[in-house]
Short mmCIF file of all heavy atoms in Angstrom, two decimals:
data_model
loop_
_atom_site.label_atom_id
_atom_site.label_comp_id
_atom_site.label_asym_id
_atom_site.label_seq_id
_atom_site.Cartn_x
_atom_site.Cartn_y
_atom_site.Cartn_z
N MET A 842 -6.27 42.87 -29.98
CA MET A 842 -5.00 43.08 -30.69
C MET A 842 -5.06 42.47 -32.10
O MET A 842 -4.68 43.10 -33.08
CB MET A 842 -3.86 42.47 -29.88
CG MET A 842 -2.47 42.72 -30.45
SD MET A 842 -1.93 41.42 -31.58
CE MET A 842 -1.68 40.05 -30.48
N ARG A 843 -5.57 41.23 -32.21
CA ARG A 843 -5.59 40.59 -33.54
C ARG A 843 -6.56 41.31 -34.48
O ARG A 843 -6.28 41.51 -35.65
CB ARG A 843 -6.01 39.13 -33.42
CG ARG A 843 -5.03 38.27 -32.68
CD ARG A 843 -5.34 36.82 -32.93
NE ARG A 843 -4.78 35.99 -31.86
CZ ARG A 843 -4.49 34.72 -32.01
NH1 ARG A 843 -4.70 34.12 -33.15
NH2 ARG A 843 -4.00 34.01 -31.02
N ALA A 844 -7.75 41.68 -33.92
CA ALA A 844 -8.77 42.34 -34.75
C ALA A 844 -8.23 43.65 -35.31
O ALA A 844 -8.61 44.07 -36.41
CB ALA A 844 -10.02 42.59 -33.92
N CYS A 845 -7.33 44.29 -34.54
CA CYS A 845 -6.77 45.58 -34.98
C CYS A 845 -5.45 45.42 -35.73
O CYS A 845 -4.83 46.42 -36.11
CB CYS A 845 -6.57 46.49 -33.77
SG CYS A 845 -8.11 46.90 -32.94
N THR A 846 -5.01 44.19 -35.91
CA THR A 846 -3.72 43.96 -36.57
C THR A 846 -3.90 43.34 -37.95
O THR A 846 -3.19 43.64 -38.90
CB THR A 846 -2.83 43.03 -35.72
OG1 THR A 846 -2.73 43.56 -34.40
CG2 THR A 846 -1.43 42.87 -36.32
N TYR A 847 -4.88 42.42 -38.07
CA TYR A 847 -5.03 41.65 -39.30
C TYR A 847 -6.36 41.95 -39.98
O TYR A 847 -7.41 41.93 -39.33
CB TYR A 847 -4.97 40.14 -39.00
CG TYR A 847 -3.72 39.70 -38.29
CD1 TYR A 847 -3.73 39.44 -36.91
CD2 TYR A 847 -2.52 39.54 -38.98
CE1 TYR A 847 -2.58 39.04 -36.24
CE2 TYR A 847 -1.37 39.13 -38.32
CZ TYR A 847 -1.40 38.88 -36.95
OH TYR A 847 -0.27 38.48 -36.31
N ASP A 848 -6.31 42.22 -41.30
CA ASP A 848 -7.56 42.27 -42.09
C ASP A 848 -8.09 40.84 -42.14
O ASP A 848 -7.32 39.90 -42.41
CB ASP A 848 -7.29 42.77 -43.51
CG ASP A 848 -6.82 44.23 -43.52
OD1 ASP A 848 -6.96 44.89 -42.46
OD2 ASP A 848 -6.31 44.68 -44.56
N MET A 849 -9.40 40.66 -41.91
CA MET A 849 -9.92 39.29 -41.84
C MET A 849 -11.17 39.12 -42.70
O MET A 849 -12.05 39.97 -42.73
CB MET A 849 -10.23 38.92 -40.39
CG MET A 849 -8.95 38.77 -39.57
SD MET A 849 -9.26 38.58 -37.82
CE MET A 849 -9.73 36.88 -37.76
N GLU A 850 -11.20 37.96 -43.38
CA GLU A 850 -12.38 37.60 -44.18
C GLU A 850 -13.52 37.25 -43.22
O GLU A 850 -13.29 36.64 -42.18
CB GLU A 850 -12.00 36.37 -45.02
CG GLU A 850 -12.89 36.15 -46.22
CD GLU A 850 -12.41 34.97 -47.08
OE1 GLU A 850 -11.18 34.86 -47.34
OE2 GLU A 850 -13.26 34.16 -47.44
N THR A 851 -14.74 37.64 -43.56
CA THR A 851 -15.88 37.34 -42.68
C THR A 851 -16.19 35.84 -42.72
O THR A 851 -15.80 35.13 -43.65
CB THR A 851 -17.13 38.14 -43.08
OG1 THR A 851 -17.43 37.85 -44.45
CG2 THR A 851 -16.91 39.64 -42.90
N ILE A 852 -16.97 35.38 -41.72
CA ILE A 852 -17.27 33.96 -41.58
C ILE A 852 -17.97 33.43 -42.83
O ILE A 852 -17.68 32.34 -43.30
CB ILE A 852 -18.15 33.73 -40.33
CG1 ILE A 852 -17.36 34.10 -39.07
CG2 ILE A 852 -18.64 32.28 -40.24
CD1 ILE A 852 -18.20 34.26 -37.82
N ASN A 853 -18.90 34.24 -43.40
CA ASN A 853 -19.64 33.76 -44.57
C ASN A 853 -18.85 33.94 -45.88
O ASN A 853 -19.32 33.60 -46.96
CB ASN A 853 -20.99 34.48 -44.68
CG ASN A 853 -20.81 36.00 -44.74
OD1 ASN A 853 -19.73 36.50 -45.04
ND2 ASN A 853 -21.89 36.72 -44.44
N GLY A 854 -17.63 34.50 -45.74
CA GLY A 854 -16.77 34.64 -46.92
C GLY A 854 -17.20 35.75 -47.87
O GLY A 854 -16.73 35.83 -48.99
N LYS A 855 -18.11 36.61 -47.42
CA LYS A 855 -18.66 37.62 -48.32
C LYS A 855 -18.05 39.00 -48.15
O LYS A 855 -18.55 39.99 -48.67
CB LYS A 855 -20.18 37.71 -48.14
CG LYS A 855 -20.90 36.46 -48.65
CD LYS A 855 -22.40 36.55 -48.46
CE LYS A 855 -23.07 35.27 -48.95
NZ LYS A 855 -24.46 35.17 -48.51
N GLY A 856 -17.04 39.12 -47.33
CA GLY A 856 -16.47 40.45 -47.15
C GLY A 856 -15.19 40.40 -46.35
O GLY A 856 -14.80 39.36 -45.84
N ILE A 857 -14.55 41.54 -46.29
CA ILE A 857 -13.31 41.66 -45.51
C ILE A 857 -13.54 42.72 -44.44
O ILE A 857 -14.08 43.80 -44.72
CB ILE A 857 -12.14 42.13 -46.42
CG1 ILE A 857 -11.84 41.10 -47.51
CG2 ILE A 857 -10.89 42.44 -45.58
CD1 ILE A 857 -11.02 39.91 -47.07
N VAL A 858 -13.16 42.39 -43.20
CA VAL A 858 -13.21 43.38 -42.13
C VAL A 858 -11.78 43.92 -41.99
O VAL A 858 -10.87 43.19 -41.60
CB VAL A 858 -13.69 42.78 -40.79
CG1 VAL A 858 -13.65 43.83 -39.69
CG2 VAL A 858 -15.11 42.24 -40.93
N LYS A 859 -11.61 45.17 -42.35
CA LYS A 859 -10.29 45.80 -42.27
C LYS A 859 -9.93 46.01 -40.80
O LYS A 859 -10.77 46.47 -40.01
CB LYS A 859 -10.30 47.15 -42.98
CG LYS A 859 -10.54 47.05 -44.47
CD LYS A 859 -9.22 46.97 -45.19
CE LYS A 859 -9.40 47.01 -46.70
NZ LYS A 859 -8.31 46.27 -47.36
N ALA A 860 -8.68 45.71 -40.45
CA ALA A 860 -8.23 45.84 -39.06
C ALA A 860 -8.48 47.25 -38.54
O ALA A 860 -8.99 47.44 -37.43
CB ALA A 860 -6.75 45.49 -38.96
N LYS A 861 -8.19 48.25 -39.38
CA LYS A 861 -8.31 49.62 -38.89
C LYS A 861 -9.76 50.08 -38.75
O LYS A 861 -10.05 51.12 -38.16
CB LYS A 861 -7.48 50.58 -39.76
CG LYS A 861 -7.92 50.73 -41.20
CD LYS A 861 -7.04 51.77 -41.88
CE LYS A 861 -7.53 52.21 -43.24
NZ LYS A 861 -7.56 51.15 -44.25
N GLU A 862 -10.71 49.28 -39.31
CA GLU A 862 -12.13 49.64 -39.23
C GLU A 862 -12.86 48.91 -38.10
O GLU A 862 -14.04 49.17 -37.87
CB GLU A 862 -12.83 49.31 -40.57
CG GLU A 862 -12.34 50.09 -41.75
CD GLU A 862 -12.67 51.57 -41.63
OE1 GLU A 862 -13.63 51.93 -40.91
OE2 GLU A 862 -11.95 52.39 -42.23
N PHE A 863 -12.18 47.97 -37.42
CA PHE A 863 -12.88 47.09 -36.46
C PHE A 863 -13.66 47.89 -35.41
O PHE A 863 -14.86 47.67 -35.20
CB PHE A 863 -11.87 46.15 -35.77
CG PHE A 863 -12.49 45.27 -34.72
CD1 PHE A 863 -13.27 44.19 -35.08
CD2 PHE A 863 -12.31 45.53 -33.36
CE1 PHE A 863 -13.87 43.38 -34.12
CE2 PHE A 863 -12.90 44.73 -32.39
CZ PHE A 863 -13.68 43.65 -32.78
N PHE A 864 -13.01 48.85 -34.75
CA PHE A 864 -13.71 49.60 -33.71
C PHE A 864 -14.76 50.57 -34.29
O PHE A 864 -15.75 50.89 -33.62
CB PHE A 864 -12.74 50.34 -32.80
CG PHE A 864 -12.27 49.47 -31.65
CD1 PHE A 864 -10.99 48.93 -31.62
CD2 PHE A 864 -13.14 49.14 -30.61
CE1 PHE A 864 -10.58 48.10 -30.58
CE2 PHE A 864 -12.74 48.32 -29.56
CZ PHE A 864 -11.46 47.80 -29.54
N ASN A 865 -14.59 50.95 -35.55
CA ASN A 865 -15.64 51.77 -36.19
C ASN A 865 -16.93 50.97 -36.31
O ASN A 865 -18.03 51.49 -36.09
CB ASN A 865 -15.18 52.25 -37.57
CG ASN A 865 -14.09 53.33 -37.44
OD1 ASN A 865 -14.03 54.03 -36.43
ND2 ASN A 865 -13.24 53.46 -38.47
N TYR A 866 -16.82 49.66 -36.69
CA TYR A 866 -18.01 48.81 -36.80
C TYR A 866 -18.62 48.55 -35.42
O TYR A 866 -19.83 48.55 -35.25
CB TYR A 866 -17.66 47.46 -37.45
CG TYR A 866 -17.24 47.56 -38.89
CD1 TYR A 866 -16.06 46.95 -39.34
CD2 TYR A 866 -18.01 48.27 -39.82
CE1 TYR A 866 -15.67 47.03 -40.67
CE2 TYR A 866 -17.62 48.37 -41.15
CZ TYR A 866 -16.44 47.74 -41.57
OH TYR A 866 -16.06 47.85 -42.88
N VAL A 867 -17.75 48.31 -34.42
CA VAL A 867 -18.23 48.01 -33.06
C VAL A 867 -19.04 49.20 -32.53
O VAL A 867 -20.17 49.05 -32.04
CB VAL A 867 -17.04 47.69 -32.11
CG1 VAL A 867 -17.49 47.70 -30.65
CG2 VAL A 867 -16.43 46.34 -32.47
N PHE A 868 -18.48 50.40 -32.62
CA PHE A 868 -19.17 51.58 -32.11
C PHE A 868 -20.41 51.88 -32.95
O PHE A 868 -21.43 52.34 -32.42
CB PHE A 868 -18.21 52.78 -32.07
CG PHE A 868 -17.41 52.86 -30.79
CD1 PHE A 868 -16.47 51.89 -30.46
CD2 PHE A 868 -17.61 53.90 -29.90
CE1 PHE A 868 -15.74 51.94 -29.29
CE2 PHE A 868 -16.88 53.97 -28.71
CZ PHE A 868 -15.95 52.98 -28.39
N GLY A 869 -20.33 51.59 -34.26
CA GLY A 869 -21.50 51.80 -35.13
C GLY A 869 -22.66 50.92 -34.71
O GLY A 869 -23.82 51.37 -34.68
N CYS A 870 -22.38 49.68 -34.38
CA CYS A 870 -23.43 48.75 -33.94
C CYS A 870 -24.00 49.16 -32.59
O CYS A 870 -25.21 49.24 -32.40
CB CYS A 870 -22.88 47.33 -33.88
SG CYS A 870 -24.07 46.15 -33.18
N LEU A 871 -23.12 49.45 -31.62
CA LEU A 871 -23.58 49.69 -30.25
C LEU A 871 -24.25 51.05 -30.08
O LEU A 871 -25.21 51.17 -29.29
CB LEU A 871 -22.40 49.57 -29.27
CG LEU A 871 -21.86 48.16 -29.05
CD1 LEU A 871 -20.63 48.21 -28.15
CD2 LEU A 871 -22.91 47.24 -28.43
N PHE A 872 -23.77 52.07 -30.79
CA PHE A 872 -24.25 53.42 -30.48
C PHE A 872 -25.02 54.09 -31.62
O PHE A 872 -25.69 55.10 -31.39
CB PHE A 872 -23.07 54.30 -30.06
CG PHE A 872 -22.35 53.77 -28.84
CD1 PHE A 872 -21.09 53.18 -28.94
CD2 PHE A 872 -22.96 53.81 -27.58
CE1 PHE A 872 -20.44 52.67 -27.82
CE2 PHE A 872 -22.32 53.30 -26.47
CZ PHE A 872 -21.06 52.72 -26.57
N LEU A 873 -24.89 53.54 -32.84
CA LEU A 873 -25.57 54.19 -33.97
C LEU A 873 -26.65 53.30 -34.58
O LEU A 873 -27.22 53.64 -35.63
CB LEU A 873 -24.54 54.59 -35.05
CG LEU A 873 -23.38 55.49 -34.58
CD1 LEU A 873 -22.42 55.78 -35.72
CD2 LEU A 873 -23.91 56.80 -33.98
N GLY A 874 -26.86 52.11 -33.98
CA GLY A 874 -27.92 51.22 -34.48
C GLY A 874 -27.60 50.54 -35.79
O GLY A 874 -28.50 50.04 -36.48
#
Side-chain angles (χ1 to χ4, degrees):
M842 185 269 290
R843 294 195 202 204
C845 297
T846 307
Y847 303 102
D848 295 346
M849 290 172 79
E850 200 176 315
T851 57
I852 295 165
N853 57 19
K855 291 180 181 167
I857 297 281
V858 177
K859 295 268 186 209
K861 64 177 191 296
E862 296 294 335
F863 177 74
F864 273 106
N865 289 334
Y866 294 130
V867 167
F868 274 66
C870 174
L871 289 176
F872 300 107
L873 304 178

